[in-house]
Amino acid sequence: MSVDARTATHVTSGARERSLWGRIDRGDLIRTLFVAACAVAVALGATWPWPQVPVIAVVGLVVGCWPIATGAWEDVRHRRMSMELSMLIAIVAAAAIGEWVTSLVIAAFVLAAEILEDLSMDRGRDALTDLMSFLPDTVQVRTDDGPVMRPLADVQEGDTVIVAPGGRIPVDGVVLFGRSSADQSRITGESWPVDLSPGSEVFAGSINQIGAVEVRAERVGADSSYGRIVDAVRQAQSSEPPVQRLADRLAAWLVYLALGGAVITYVVTRDLEATIAVVVVAGACGIAAGTPLAVLAAIARIARAGAFVKDGAHLEALSAVDTVVFDKTGTLTAGTPSVVEVRTDGMLDQDRLLTFAASAEAYSEHPLGKTMVASARTRSLELFPASEFTYEPGCGVTAVIEGHTVAVGNRTLVADAPEVVDAPGIASPVHVGVDGAYAGTILLADVIRPTPRAAIAEFHRRGVRTLILTGDQPATAQAVAAELGIDDVRAGLLPEQKLSAIDAEREAGRRVAMVGDGVNDAPSLARADVGIAMGSGTDIARESADIVLISSDLSDLVHTLHVARRARRIVMANFVGTIAIDLVGIVLASFGLLSPVAAAFIHVGSETAFILNSARLIPRRRVGAKVQSG
Ligand code: ADP
Ligand code: MG
């Protein structure tokens, strides 16, 4: 974790301990109470010096309306219609006809509503900031004793950092060794990958793609582009969720309706009080305040349960999902396989075959590759240095070892490998080719993760269809699907074929969520309606995804879906409720059946009800605890 991220987490945990009372802005509170006191004083007869223009009322209004007027002025400048603006019109109109008490009461109500709004948003935000700790925290550094893992905060200028394919480049610096390409879109905005070779400049926060590179660190921590990303993330959290735009539009529309209604009321009845009441009763802040709170609270609630939703829009998309597509290796299976068998065709012995395969996989981020490296180490096999390392996502790796070109992967990569039909259980075959000729097969058995079975049953219960898309061979994929009760399987897919499978689903009118972990899943994660990455997956998958399951637990996805759907129901209820109350209120007020003060009461009361409705989603204040879905 960078220094910045740590500070952010620290600050938040401090904030979390503040009481409800401690969160209220004292200035706002005093202002509101002052305005209310002025209203009471004027109502009790403190109308000095002139009953038509009591000084206390004027002072109260100036104090009370200052923040409302500045808010309204902002809205005018941006040409938007808002609650502040309509309420200001009502307050001024009431004062103009000498209804000082009414005017002060409306101002006090508006101020109280704003405190309430700030308070609930503040609590929603806190929970979000915790997520800073999601950013990567350790990197591989080359030392005299070979590569070691080090906390990013301890990496210094001049250190040599090793970045595996699919890994996030953790520092700004210069490539010393290796060839690859990097996706720098996050830093430079340029979406086309740039080629990396010795001498190329790289930026922290960009994603290394197909090759392994070693980078000399030049700017680290908060100085690097990475440090700036942390800032950017922080800002994204304080910016408004996009669903709010719809809410704001609707709110503006309702304010126009109220003003239109007010004009008609005045023309027909010439009753100024009724006219003011019409303006006051509408205003639609239940929508404007309730929607962002619901989204923020839902994101926070999901976060507490171990998933990171990058944006409110993704939550909306998830609530509509009817098909969940899973990658297999690393997603449904643990991605921690073990070597169960080494078969050779006689050219090399078993140890040598494994040594070659492991040497070629030395930089691999793929679970199968890592396993072969670990297995070679356990057998005390000495690995050879490899060069010209390349990774073909969904197929395997090639590298030059001892002058031989070694290919390790599936039958797309090792063309003359035999189909393995007698693999035990859910073992996956990985073939090894040396100088273009098939040399042997390593069988790796993975275990199915503990949670998918229950999670998949839950998806089915909620009417969601499940599907496996995998690059592995059909027999293994079908065994996994049968074991987990998954509806459908497509096996032997290259990354592009995973993409077209997702396109086909979407063209058939389905709303698709894709869950994956690998470099090869990244394009599909970006293409699906909602991309979901396993926390244990590669950086590039987590980068491409909209939602990250930090704990790699699929039951968190069930919970996330549940909360997303609940948030949508709450937002819809607020929409419908606000419109209903505003319409009924406008009709009653225009017939003179609602006084301006009663109208203010209904306005603020209904807004409070909608905010509280959204606030039901705010997670309990227990850090790290799983929030029970319900
Ligand atoms: P999945 O879609 O199940 O996650 P991948 O698409 O990552 O699987 O890989 C598909 C197949 O390609 C694997 O089953 C394996 O045979 C081969 N493969 C991919 N990457 C590697 C690698 N680094 N080393 C060896 N084989 C690999
Ligand atoms: Mg995978």
Side-chain angles (χ1 to χ4, degrees):
M1 191 188 311
S2 81
V3 179
D4 272 35
R6 217 175 348 196
T7 317
T9 317
H10 178 74
V11 167
T12 331
S13 46
R16 200 183 301 118
E17 280 143 28
R18 275 189 296 148
S19 64
L20 193 65
W21 172 241
R23 288 157 176 279
I24 299 179
D25 184 310
R26 291 305 143 87
D28 289 348
L29 186 66
I30 291 169
R31 189 192 299 275
T32 309
L33 292 176
F34 178 76
V35 175
C38 291
V40 172
V42 175
L44 292 178
T47 53
W48 179 88
W50 315 284
Q52 294 83 0
V53 189
V55 143
I56 294 185
V58 174
V59 171
L61 280 183
V62 169
V63 171
C65 288
W66 181 251
I68 304 174
T70 48
W73 172 239
E74 275 297 296
D75 293 329
V76 170
R77 275 197 332 136
H78 292 102
R79 298 175 188 281
R80 13 170 230 241
M81 202 20 109
S82 75
M83 192 271 285
E84 262 102 357
L85 204 53
S86 66
M87 294 312 257
L88 191 66
I89 293 172
I91 291 167
V92 170
I97 59 167
E99 292 276 352
W100 296 103
V101 176
T102 302
S103 171
L104 285 165
V105 168
I106 297 172
F109 270 127
V110 172
L111 291 172
E114 280 178 2
I115 290 183
L116 185 76
E117 218 174 282
D118 284 350
L119 211 58
S120 44
M121 285 305 278
D122 193 35
R123 273 189 59 191
R125 257 183 222 122
D126 265 9
L128 253 193
T129 318
D130 288 350
L131 293 169
M132 289 301 203
S133 52
F134 163 72
L135 294 169
D137 50 3
T138 53
V139 297
Q140 212 179 359
V141 177
R142 180 164 300 292
T143 65
D144 295 339
D145 314 323
V148 295
M149 292 306 288
R150 225 181 244 171
L152 180 55
D154 293 351
V155 174
Q156 293 178 355
E157 249 184 73
D159 282 350
T160 302
V161 176
I162 304 171
V163 190
R168 184 176 303 198
I169 296 172
V171 294
D172 289 1
V174 172
V175 175
L176 292 177
F177 175 78
R179 279 175 195 282
S180 182
S181 60
D183 171 357
Q184 304 187 335
S185 53
R186 187 138 184 190
I187 316 297
T188 60
E190 169 57 47
S191 60
W192 206 248
V194 296
D195 286 328
L196 297 184
S197 57
S200 310
E201 197 182 1
V202 292
F203 299 102
S206 48
I207 307 289
N208 180 28
Q209 300 202 304
I210 50 172
V213 290
E214 302 198 357
V215 174
R216 189 181 64 235
E218 291 190 334
R219 281 180 304 275
V220 297
D223 293 336
S224 69
S225 31
Y226 177 81
R228 295 197 290 274
I229 288 170
V230 173
D231 272 347
V233 171
R234 200 177 295 152
Q235 274 189 357
Q237 289 180 356
S238 58
S239 68
E240 60 182 33
V243 214
Q244 192 177 2
R245 264 171 255 148
L246 175 64
D248 282 347
R249 268 214 311 273
L250 201 70
W253 185 81
L254 281 169
V255 172
Y256 284 125
L257 185 75
L259 293 179
V263 169
I264 294 170
T265 303
Y266 186 73
V267 168
V268 174
T269 66
R270 300 279 155 184
D271 180 347
L272 257 175
E273 277 213 15
T275 306
I276 292 170
V278 167
V279 175
V280 171
V281 79
C285 17
I287 297 176
T291 303
L293 176 61
V295 171
L296 203 55
I299 290 178
R301 189 182 195 93
I302 290 165
R304 288 290 163 88
F308 176 37
V309 181
K310 292 187 187 169
D311 192 306
H314 306 320
L315 201 66
E316 252 183 311
L318 182 67
S319 68
V321 156
D322 58 12
T323 301
V324 180
V325 173
F326 298 95
D327 159 60
K328 182 182 70 69
T329 317
T331 301
L332 294 173
T333 65
T336 51
S338 51
V339 172
V340 287
E341 203 182 320
V342 180
R343 298 178 181 174
T344 74
D345 79 338
M347 197 165 74
L348 301 171
D349 68 12
Q350 291 189 349
D351 278 356
R352 191 138 174 103
L353 189 79
L354 187 59
T355 307
F356 268 23
S359 304
E361 300 273 9
Y363 292 116
S364 181
E365 285 246 330
H366 199 279
L368 296 178
K370 285 184 175 169
T371 302
M372 286 182 273
V373 173
S375 171
R377 293 240 166 82
T378 329
R379 294 176 197 205
S380 317
L381 300 176
E382 186 105 18
L383 298 192
F384 296 116
S387 61
E388 290 175 44
F389 175 92
T390 55
Y391 172 38
E392 201 164 321
C395 296
V397 301
T398 49
V400 174
I401 295 160
E402 301 278 274
H404 299 288
T405 302
V406 177
V408 187
N410 60 14
R411 291 175 70 214
T412 313
L413 200 72
V414 186
D416 50 350
E419 180 151 18
V420 177
V421 286
D422 58 343
I426 61 160
S428 302
V430 171
H431 306 291
V432 183
V434 178
D435 294 327
Y438 170 71
T441 299
I442 298 170
L443 286 171
L444 296 111
D446 203 349
V447 291
I448 292 182
R449 285 183 190 267
T451 53
R453 191 197 310 267
I456 281 152
E458 275 297 311
F459 283 128
H460 292 163
R461 212 170 60 75
R462 289 161 199 268
V464 176
R465 196 170 67 102
T466 54
L467 173 66
I468 293 182
L469 297 184
T470 179
D472 205 350
Q473 61 169 19
T476 314
Q478 263 141 19
V480 172
E483 175 82 25
L484 294 174
I486 286 177
D487 294 330
D488 207 351
V489 182
R490 318 266 158 78
L493 302 179
L494 294 172
E496 314 83 80
Q497 294 171 315
K498 285 195 182 189
L499 260 188
S500 28
I502 286 183
D503 284 341
E505 291 290 325
R506 294 185 66 203
E507 271 153 29
R510 298 192 168 270
R511 303 296 195 95
V512 181
M514 157 90 196
V515 194
D517 71 311
V519 176
N520 59 325
D521 299 322
S524 322
L525 291 177
R527 183 71 64 89
D529 292 295
V530 188
I532 299 154
M534 303 298 269
S536 61
T538 53
D539 287 344
I540 196 168
R542 293 190 302 201
E543 184 76 15
S544 312
D546 304 318
I547 297 176
V548 181
L549 301 178
I550 296 166
S551 54
S552 303
D553 181 342
L554 286 180
S555 62
D556 290 344
L557 182 57
V558 176
H559 179 260
T560 305
L561 178 74
H562 172 79
V563 175
R565 288 185 171 182
R566 212 179 133 196
R568 184 171 62 171
R569 281 198 300 273
I570 285 179
V571 168
M572 284 318 294
N574 288 355
F575 268 60
V576 173
T578 305
I579 292 169
I581 288 181
D582 281 7
L583 289 180
V584 171
I586 289 174
V587 170
L588 289 180
S590 63
F591 281 100
L593 299 172
L594 219 54
S595 74
V597 170
F601 195 78
I602 291 178
H603 176 125
V604 176
S606 67
E607 180 183 343
T608 308
F610 295 128
I611 288 182
L612 290 178
N613 187 31
S614 296
R616 289 188 299 138
L617 277 172
I618 294 178
R620 305 285 158 274
R621 318 182 110 219
R622 268 173 48 223
V623 186
K626 289 239 163 171
V627 182
Q628 209 51 51
S629 44

